[in-house]
C-alpha cells in the first residue's frame, strides 16, 4: 500500500499592507478594538491585476522546488478557494496548472471556505493511498479583498489575501505518512457565513436573512460574527479531541498546532482547552489576518522559513469555516532531505 507524505510547503504574501490604522480611516473602528477582539494588526492585499491564480502559482513554484519532484511527475492539482479567478469556470486549479506548465494533470477546485486546505489534504491522501495518483499539488489561494465589503466593519477588518501550497507524495515508509485527516460539515449553519448573492438562487432563498440580502449583485462575504465565534470554538475543540483520541496521541506529542488563523481569541480558547503550551501554537493572525483556505499553509510556511519546522515533527492542523465546515489533520513533516 502507498502512504501519503507531506513533502514540502511554499507560500506567497502580496506586497501591499492594509493596517488597522488604514481601516480606521475607512470604517468606524480602531486599532485598539481590532487588536483586542481579533489579534490582527495588519493583512496583505493583492494588487488589482494580481489574481488568486497568480498568488497560488507563486506559492506552488516554491512547494514544487522544495519537494524535489519534477513537474512532469505531478499528476494532480487541487485548489481550495472561495475567491476563484472566475466564479463557476474555469477552475482556478486548471488556470494554475497551465501557468505552472503542468499539462497532463487532473485539476479541480473545491469549496470548503476556511477548512479548504484540510479538505484538499484529505483528497490528496485518498487519491495517493488508492494508488490513483502519486504526486499531488495542493494549493490554498485567496483574494478575499475581491469579495470583502469595505463598508462593513464586522468583516472587512478580518480578511486578507495570500496563498500557500504543499506537495503530497506517495511513499512506502509508514513513518512518513499523514496519520489521519478529519473533515465534517453541517449546512444547518449555512447562514452564519455566506456570500448571499451571485449564486443561482440564494438571493431569493427564504432562508437567507433579509439583512443579508443587500447589494443584489455583489458577491461580498457576510457573517454573523459572534454566533460564528461560539460555534467555532466548540467545533474546533471537539474535532481536535476526537482526532487525538482516535489515534491515541497525547497533546504533548504535537510539536506544532497549526490552527486556521481567524481570530487570536478563538485560537487561544482552543489551545487552552487542549492544554497546549504557547510554543506549540503557530500564530500568524497578527500579520496576515484571516486568509481562509490559504491560512494554514501560509502558517506552515512561516514556521518552515523561520527554521522552526524540522523533518519528522508532528503537526496538528485544525480548521473551521463557512458551510459550516470543519476539519483536522495529524501530519508529520516529511521532506525528502
Ligand atoms: O474564518 C471563518 C470563521 N470566522 C470566524 O471564526 C470569525 C468569528 N468571529 C469573530 O472573530 C468575532 O465575532 C468578530 C471579530 C467578528 C467580532 O467580535 P465580537 O467580540 O464577537 O464582537 P460583536 O460582534 O459581539 O460586537 C461587539 C460590539 C458591537 O457593538 P455594540 O452592539 O456592543 O454597541 C459591534 O457593533 O463591537 C461592535 N463592532 C465593532 N466596533 C469597532 C463590531 N465590529 C467592530 C469594529 N470596530 N470593527
Amino acid at each position: 500500500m502507498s502512504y501519503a507524505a507531506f513533502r514540502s510547503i511554499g507560500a506567497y504574501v502580496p506586497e501591499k499592507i492594509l493596517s488597522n490604522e488604514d481601516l480606521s480611516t475607512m470604517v468606524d473602528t480602531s486599532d485598539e478594538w481590532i487588536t483586542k477582539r481579533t489579534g490582527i494588526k495588519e493583512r496583505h492585499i493583492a494588487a488589482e491585476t494580481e489574481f488568486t491564480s497568480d498568488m497560488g502559482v507563486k506559492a506552488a513554484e516554491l512547494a514544487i522546488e522544495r519537494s524535489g519532484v519534477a513537474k512532469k511527475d505531478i499528476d494532480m492539482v487541487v485548489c481550495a478557494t472561495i475567491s476563484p479567478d472566475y466564479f463557476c469556470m474555469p477552475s482556478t486549479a486548471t488556470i494554475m496548472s497551465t501557468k505552472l506548465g503542468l499539462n497532463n494533470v487532473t485539476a479541480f477546485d473545491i469549496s470548503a471556505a476556511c477548512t479548504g486546505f484540510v479538505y484538499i489534504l484529505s483528497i490528496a491522501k485518498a487519491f495517493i493511498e488508492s494508488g490513483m495518483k502519486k504526486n499531488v499539488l495542493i494549493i490554498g489561494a485567496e483574494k478575499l479583498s475581491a469579495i470583502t465589503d469595505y463598508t462593513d466593519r464586522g468583516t472587512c477588518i478580518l480578511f486578507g489575501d495570500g496563498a500557500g501550497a504543499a506537495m503530497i507524495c506517495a511513499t512506502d515508509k509508514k513513518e512518513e505518512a499523514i496519520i489521519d485527516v478529519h473533515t465534517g460539515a453541517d449546512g444547518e449553519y449555512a447562514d452564519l457565513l455566506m456570500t448571499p448573492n451571485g449564486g443561482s438562487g440564494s438571493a431569493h432563498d427564504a432562508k437567507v436573512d433579509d439583512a443579508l440580502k443587500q447589494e443584489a449583485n455583489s458577491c461580498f462575504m457576510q457573517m454573523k460574527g459572534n454566533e460564528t465565534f461560539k460555534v467555532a470554538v466548540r467545533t474546533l475543540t471537539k474535532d481536535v479531541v476526537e482526532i487525538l483520541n482516535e489515534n491515541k496521541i497525547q497533546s504533548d506529542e504535537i510539536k506544532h498546532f497549526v490552527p486556521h488563523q481567524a481570530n487570536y481569541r478563538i485560537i487561544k480558547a482552543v489551545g487552552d482547552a487542549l492544554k497546549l503550551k504557547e510554543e506549540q501554537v503557530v500564530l500568524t493572525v497578527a500579520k496576515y489576518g484571516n486568509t481562509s483556505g490559504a491560512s494554514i499553509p501560509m502558517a506552515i510556511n512561516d514556521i518552515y522559513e523561520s527554521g522552526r519546522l524540522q523533518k519528522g515533527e508532528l503537526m496538528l492542523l485544525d480548521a473551521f469555516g463557512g458551510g459550516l465546515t470543519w476539519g483536522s489533520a495529524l501530519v508529520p513533516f516529511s521532506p525528502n532531505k
Side-chain angles (χ1 to χ4, degrees):
M1 176 188 164
S2 248
Y3 299 106
F6 192 107
R7 282 276 182 253
S8 66
I9 189 74
Y12 171 76
V13 185
E15 209 177 302
K16 184 179 163 193
I17 290 175
L18 182 67
S19 68
N20 291 350
E21 284 80 10
D22 295 332
L23 282 163
S24 65
T25 67
M26 296 158 65
V27 288
D28 183 13
T29 191
S30 64
D31 174 46
E32 192 196 350
W33 192 95
I34 301 171
T35 306
K36 198 166 148 206
R37 300 286 182 128
T38 71
I40 301 168
K41 295 299 284 183
E42 57 189 34
R43 63 292 292 141
H44 290 247
I45 303 294
E48 228 168 272
T49 53
E50 192 169 37
F51 297 172
T52 297
S53 63
D54 297 321
M55 294 187 281
V57 161
K58 286 184 176 141
E61 289 283 14
L62 274 179
I64 296 168
E65 188 197 317
R66 290 169 179 171
S67 72
V69 174
K71 280 189 175 175
K72 66 172 177 44
D73 295 329
I74 296 174
D75 42 22
M76 186 157 97
V77 178
V78 193
C79 175
T81 186
I82 52 165
S83 49
D85 285 10
Y86 305 101
F87 279 104
C88 306
M89 61 183 170
S91 73
T92 307
T94 59
I95 296 168
M96 291 190 291
S97 302
T98 301
K99 287 181 178 173
L100 287 162
L102 309 175
N103 301 317
N104 192 20
V105 290
T106 302
F108 57 96
D109 292 355
I110 64 108
S111 169
C114 305
T115 318
F117 190 75
V118 177
Y119 268 65
I120 56 179
L121 187 67
S122 77
I123 292 167
K125 179 175 183 287
F127 268 87
I128 289 170
E129 287 177 353
S130 71
M132 286 175 72
K133 302 290 179 189
K134 284 198 161 35
N135 295 301
V136 181
L137 171 63
I138 58 173
I139 307 169
E142 301 285 10
K143 186 173 179 175
L144 296 179
S145 58
I147 57 166
T148 296
D149 178 356
Y150 285 99
T151 65
D152 173 16
R153 69 177 182 172
T155 54
C156 73
I157 56 151
L158 300 171
F159 299 107
D161 300 337
M167 280 299 307
I168 313 299
C169 304
T171 178
D172 52 10
K173 295 184 188 130
K174 195 168 182 201
E175 66 277 14
E176 289 188 337
I178 295 168
I179 298 169
D180 198 5
V181 187
H182 274 193
T183 50
D186 185 352
E188 282 297 320
Y189 293 103
D191 64 335
L192 290 192
L193 231 175
M194 67 189 311
T195 51
N197 296 308
S200 63
S202 55
H204 310 287
D205 187 337
K207 277 192 255 166
V208 175
D209 198 303
D210 272 348
L212 295 177
K213 286 183 189 167
Q214 303 156 359
E215 314 225 24
N217 295 315
S218 82
C219 288
F220 291 152
M221 288 180 283
Q222 305 205 6
M223 180 173 68
K224 295 178 179 170
N226 198 265
E227 287 164 76
T228 308
F229 186 103
K230 288 174 199 153
V231 188
V233 174
R234 203 168 57 235
T235 310
L236 284 166
T237 309
K238 180 171 175 285
D239 199 44
V240 161
V241 168
E242 280 172 9
I243 200 168
L244 289 175
N245 286 346
E246 280 170 22
N247 291 283
K248 299 186 175 40
I249 290 175
Q250 305 297 319
S251 58
D252 61 4
E253 294 173 61
I254 304 299
K255 183 72 183 176
H256 306 285
F257 174 55
V258 191
H260 167 49
Q261 308 283 316
N263 184 319
Y264 174 71
R265 286 158 55 216
I266 296 178
I267 297 171
K268 174 97 172 64
V270 177
D272 287 353
L274 296 168
K275 299 193 169 51
L276 293 173
K277 297 194 187 85
E278 220 171 274
E279 62 267 24
Q280 288 174 285
V281 181
V282 178
L283 282 173
T284 55
V285 68
K287 55 182 182 177
Y288 302 146
N290 180 346
T291 57
S292 191
S295 97
I296 287 181
M298 286 170 76
I300 297 173
N301 186 66
D302 242 57
I303 51 171
Y304 174 79
E305 289 192 350
S306 64
R308 282 171 62 200
L309 178 60
Q310 300 295 323
K311 185 171 182 161
E313 290 179 347
L314 185 58
M315 299 184 279
L316 171 60
L317 318 184
D318 195 15
F320 172 90
L324 293 181
T325 55
W326 59 88
S328 54
L330 284 164
V331 184
F333 183 53
S334 305
N336 266 325
K337 44 186 173 34

